[in-house]
Amino acid sequence: MRFFSLVFFLLIAAAAAAQTLPPGLVHAGYNWDEQRRQRLPISAEEEALPAIILRDFTSIEYYFDQSRKDLRLFATEHRIVRVNSSDGIERFNKIVVPVLESGAAVAIKARTISPRGEVREVKAADMKELKDQGGGRGFRVFAVDGVEKGSEVEYYYTRERPFNHFGSEILQSEIVARDVTFELISPESLTFEARVYHGPAVTVDTTLAHHRVLRLSLPRVAALREEAFANVQAQRMRVEYKLAYMASRGAVRQFTWADASQYVYRTIMALSKDDVKAVAKVLAAARLPTAGPLPERIAAAENYIKLNFNLEEGASPSLSQMVATRNAPEAGFSRLMAAVYRTLGIDFELVVTSGREAAPFDGSFDTWDYLDHFALYFPATGQFLAPGRPEYRYGMLPPEWTASSGLFIKGVALGNTEEAVGKVKEIPALSAEQSPHDIDVTVAFAPDLSSSTLQLRQTLGGYPAVQIQPYWSQIPEDKRTEIMQQLQKSIVPDASNFQKLGVRNGERGLSPLTKPFIIESQLESASLLDKAGPRYLFKIGTLLGPQTELYQKEERQFDVENDNNRRYLRTIRFEVPPGYTVRNLKDLNVDVKAGPDAAKPVFDFRSSYVQNGQTVTVTVAENYRQVYWPKADFEAFRAVVNAAANFNKVVLVLDKKG
């Protein structure tokens, strides 16, 4: 079930509108209740919602077509939605149907039932076809007439999907749903297995003759709401399914991790004669070192390929074509780098995983739907590399691939042959120290205290640097000054009169793990000091930059999940103006931490100051050393986050002496 966008998206083929369903399909005659003229009852609480889904039925059927002698895949979906507000109407008053060759809608109906019991059905003549600007893929749009506050929008369709041995269905959204049913139907000769995440398990239904049926029926599914420090998309109730057994092959489990290992290894590692020649051309042009420290050799090969080849998903995966055009898809980068490292005699393992932002890799359920992203792992150094992600360098993977599991695959020689052996293992996250965002600022007040001059340096390493460092050299020269000023204004919003402004480590191909991106400037600000009668107020806390505030009132839904570990170190220096003292320096002393070991906290915010004469040096350290944290101890995590937000508001009071 997919109803997360503003419209419903169904897949059909342009010429397939009149196609009929195979007569043996279980839901070939599916229909809504033709006699129903009244809306389904809802409670007063449900009536206050913008919309509520009253029926959510999804049936996936694997169907053996006798005439074609092959398996086909069909989906039947039926939705009834009550819309109670303008927002609900806007969301559900149309059905948009992308016209794709990969599927064929063979039955579709839609209608509305008004609060007065008026039924309006969408006619085929009401279908409008749009084309995108490129003139390629088009859309068929059903405008659902008669939608008003309190109406029901009801539709169902059956369509053929591209065949796959694996699949996934989302069962939860930001809208409350009642009467939620998922079923998977297959011939008796095929045994599918399904795993439900964040919900109850499927059950086996034996009432349908000559078929195997897995079913999950729920009277109500709660709505999800957005929540800070959580991957809400990954927390949705969903079902993953796969073909596990075939009667013709007995008790042998199908599509296992061992099978996947063999398939992936052959796909990535197998080279034709033309491929071998293409790799030789790359090595001849690259002139890579054949001796020296292994990390430097690995990085040199990666750097050459990522600087000389373009990521183009539509490009050919053939190595000879890639070398000729200098364009490669993500999988092509993986094949090329694997071939180069193997030729250089550098040992590695292939790693395949999924992103934890939507469907974290689950090694206990061997669906190949988790095999989304390729990485390389070097056992001799314990480091990873993302071949098809040009913005990352050796030692870094996209953060959503880490703090999760993956399938690690290596080749093993067996006599004159080579076999692939796979094992599910953890992909560790980078440490907090490897992803710093540090600020060093020295503030000098003007003699008349009307303004301040700041020496400001920001240092971005690891993941913070990835947001800009890989792209800096591609930014036009005339735009760089504006961008540098914007970066510094994120700390000092009213920054002006930039007397010095520059960047270090902005060249192409640098690793932010060893060469952090640094912005340095000298600038002026008129807003750091406010006059209040005979005293001045120094808004020192703002020099941390904007901070996240975590003051949610609702009960926490999910465990904490950070994108990545990270650390912030800020050093602020200032001279107390002659003739003044600072009344409340002790407000700079903060110590908030979370974790079972107070001496080595998992998360912490600590600030302190040292005064030497008129010079005050403030040090603020904030660390997030763990990706996951249980919601049962959410308050401890929230206290650390809010400590930074509270420090953001710290104002020092400068009093005249005497």
Side-chain angles (χ1 to χ4, degrees):
M1 116 181 152
R2 290 179 174 84
F3 41 77
F4 299 94
S5 59
L6 295 177
V7 292
F8 300 108
F9 291 95
L10 320 177
L11 303 177
I12 67 171
Q19 181 178 338
T20 58
L21 291 172
L25 202 65
V26 169
H27 292 302
Y30 192 89
N31 201 357
W32 53 39
D33 182 357
E34 293 279 9
Q35 304 304 315
R36 189 167 73 91
R37 291 293 182 269
Q38 297 300 318
R39 302 171 301 163
L40 298 175
I42 63 174
S43 66
E45 181 183 1
E46 292 170 336
E47 196 166 355
L49 299 172
I52 178 172
I53 298 169
L54 301 176
R55 178 165 172 74
D56 186 349
F57 173 79
T58 301
S59 177
I60 306 298
E61 181 171 359
Y62 286 83
Y63 172 79
F64 184 75
D65 191 317
Q66 293 286 352
S67 61
R68 291 169 36 168
K69 303 299 181 185
D70 66 357
L71 276 171
R72 299 169 68 184
L73 179 60
F74 290 86
T76 298
E77 302 192 26
H78 183 189
R79 308 282 179 266
I80 303 174
V81 184
R82 172 79 74 89
V83 293
N84 299 320
S85 70
S86 298
D87 288 343
I89 293 172
E90 179 65 24
R91 182 185 293 259
F92 294 108
N93 67 353
K94 63 178 73 70
I95 305 172
V96 178
V97 186
V99 180
L100 301 177
E101 294 181 357
S102 57
V106 293
I108 181 167
K109 293 176 72 175
R111 68 179 178 180
T112 63
I113 301 179
S114 76
R116 298 171 299 282
E118 298 168 346
V119 180
R120 295 188 183 183
E121 185 171 333
V122 178
K123 303 297 183 183
D126 295 331
M127 182 186 295
K128 300 175 182 178
E129 190 161 351
L130 307 176
K131 293 290 184 181
D132 63 15
Q133 292 181 350
R137 189 178 71 176
F139 298 90
R140 293 191 175 180
V141 180
F142 288 89
V144 184
D145 294 331
V147 182
E148 58 184 280
K149 290 182 181 180
S151 291
E152 279 184 3
V153 178
E154 181 174 14
Y155 75 95
Y156 73 84
Y157 66 88
T158 299
R159 65 181 174 95
E160 184 169 6
R161 288 184 177 181
F163 185 82
N164 201 329
H165 298 97
F166 322 94
S168 177
E169 293 293 327
I170 305 300
L171 304 177
Q172 190 174 24
S173 77
E174 75 282 4
I175 301 173
V176 174
R178 292 182 355 198
D179 189 15
V180 177
T181 299
F182 166 82
E183 66 178 21
L184 190 151
I185 305 171
S186 65
E188 284 183 302
S189 59
L190 303 179
T191 300
F192 280 80
E193 291 184 357
R195 175 76 57 88
V196 179
Y197 294 85
H198 313 297
V202 297
T203 58
V204 177
D205 187 333
T206 59
T207 61
L208 188 60
H210 310 300
H211 294 85
R212 295 183 184 273
V213 181
L214 298 177
R215 181 175 284 110
L216 174 65
S217 295
L218 300 169
R220 182 182 176 88
V221 174
L224 294 182
R225 66 176 186 273
E226 286 299 317
E227 196 165 57
F229 298 99
N231 276 330
V232 176
Q233 297 300 303
Q235 298 295 333
R236 297 175 299 180
M237 188 187 305
R238 74 180 198 277
V239 58
E240 302 278 350
Y241 55 89
K242 62 159 288 183
L243 177 60
Y245 297 96
M246 301 171 64
S248 60
R249 298 185 182 180
V252 179
R253 187 173 179 83
Q254 303 298 303
F255 302 107
T256 63
W257 291 139
D259 297 332
S261 300
Q262 296 285 354
Y263 176 78
V264 170
Y265 195 79
R266 287 195 305 268
T267 300
I268 299 298
M269 302 299 294
L271 300 179
S272 66
K273 290 182 179 179
D274 288 340
D275 291 337
V276 173
K277 292 178 181 177
V279 173
K281 287 182 180 179
V282 171
L283 290 172
R287 299 181 180 179
L288 300 171
T290 57
L294 182 58
E296 293 181 11
R297 294 169 57 204
I298 295 170
E302 175 194 31
N303 223 28
Y304 177 83
I305 293 171
K306 288 186 175 180
L307 292 180
N308 288 277
F309 288 82
N310 303 311
L311 180 64
E312 177 57 63
E313 282 306 323
S316 169
S318 162
L319 293 188
S320 58
Q321 286 294 313
M322 287 162 46
V323 172
T325 63
R326 296 286 165 157
N327 296 318
E330 183 176 349
F333 270 91
S334 301
R335 294 192 68 223
L336 180 56
M337 284 197 187
V340 166
Y341 288 127
R342 192 171 196 182
T343 305
L344 293 173
I346 297 175
D347 184 42
F348 64 89
E349 297 178 12
L350 293 170
V351 182
V352 199
T353 189
S354 60
R356 58 181 162 87
E357 75 278 11
F361 188 98
D362 179 7
S364 69
F365 188 65
D366 49 357
T367 170
W368 291 14
D369 263 6
Y370 288 133
L371 306 181
D372 287 338
H373 305 296
F374 291 101
L376 301 182
Y377 172 68
F378 300 90
T381 65
Q383 297 297 319
F384 293 82
L385 182 154
R389 296 295 295 270
E391 70 272 35
Y392 291 96
R393 285 299 183 269
Y394 169 73
M396 293 185 73
L397 297 178
E400 64 271 16
W401 300 4
T402 69
S404 186
S405 300
L407 181 62
F408 288 62
I409 306 166
K410 62 181 179 180
V412 177
L414 297 175
N416 295 326
T417 64
E418 185 179 42
E419 293 293 325
V421 176
K423 185 176 181 180
V424 174
K425 294 189 287 186
E426 286 297 307
I427 303 174
L430 292 184
S431 69
E433 287 296 317
Q434 291 174 293
S435 288
H437 184 177
D438 298 341
I439 297 171
D440 188 288
V441 57
T442 300
V443 182
F445 301 122
D448 63 356
L449 303 184
S450 62
S451 64
S452 309
T453 298
L454 290 78
Q455 306 290 335
L456 174 60
R457 180 175 69 245
Q458 293 192 67
T459 301
L460 286 71
Y463 291 119
V466 169
Q467 307 304 312
I468 186 169
Q469 188 179 39
Y471 314 106
W472 185 254
S473 62
Q474 303 169 36
I475 298 172
E477 194 73 38
D478 61 344
K479 295 290 185 183
R480 292 184 186 177
T481 297
E482 178 185 351
I483 293 173
M484 286 188 287
Q485 290 182 354
Q486 288 175 350
L487 289 169
Q488 299 300 68
K489 285 182 178 181
S490 68
I491 308 301
V492 186
D494 74 327
S496 62
N497 192 21
F498 285 85
Q499 297 151 40
K500 290 193 300 185
L501 189 62
V503 155
R504 283 193 276 158
N505 299 331
E507 302 92 334
R508 291 186 70 201
L510 297 182
S511 169
L513 297 177
T514 56
K515 297 285 187 179
F517 187 77
I518 300 172
I519 315 107
E520 297 175 300
S521 65
Q522 179 176 308
L523 55 90
E524 292 184 0
S525 169
S527 68
L528 282 177
L529 280 178
D530 282 339
K531 187 168 174 42
R535 61 178 60 94
Y536 282 86
L537 307 179
F538 175 27
K539 293 176 282 189
I540 189 172
T542 62
L543 293 175
L544 266 63
Q547 300 296 307
T548 300
E549 294 185 352
L550 199 49
Y551 297 120
Q552 69 179 61
K553 296 180 180 179
E554 303 91 346
E555 182 180 355
R556 182 73 183 182
Q557 295 177 108
F558 310 118
D559 290 344
V560 168
E561 183 174 342
N562 290 292
D563 293 336
N564 53 272
N565 298 320
R566 59 204 183 277
R567 83 106 195 273
Y568 306 92
L569 179 62
R570 295 92 162 192
T571 304
I572 305 169
R573 304 173 199 84
F574 68 95
E575 293 282 331
V576 179
Y580 283 84
T581 61
V582 184
R583 177 193 300 181
N584 57 328
L585 280 174
K586 290 185 178 179
D587 289 353
L588 298 171
N589 292 326
V590 181
D591 188 358
V592 181
K593 46 187 174 286
D597 186 347
K600 296 180 179 180
V602 176
F603 311 115
D604 67 316
F605 181 94
R606 303 182 187 189
S607 64
S608 61
Y609 73 94
V610 174
Q611 184 169 13
N612 186 4
Q614 292 293 96
T615 302
V616 178
T617 301
V618 184
T619 302
V620 182
E622 185 178 2
N623 296 278
Y624 297 86
R625 302 183 179 92
Q626 190 166 292
V627 171
Y628 302 103
W629 186 253
K631 69 177 181 180
D633 201 11
F634 175 66
E635 290 304 322
F637 175 81
R638 174 157 61 177
V640 173
V641 174
N642 286 345
N646 293 337
F647 192 93
N648 216 203
K649 303 177 181 69
V650 170
V651 176
L652 296 181
V653 180
L654 307 184
D655 286 326
K656 269 194 171 183
K657 292 181 180 178

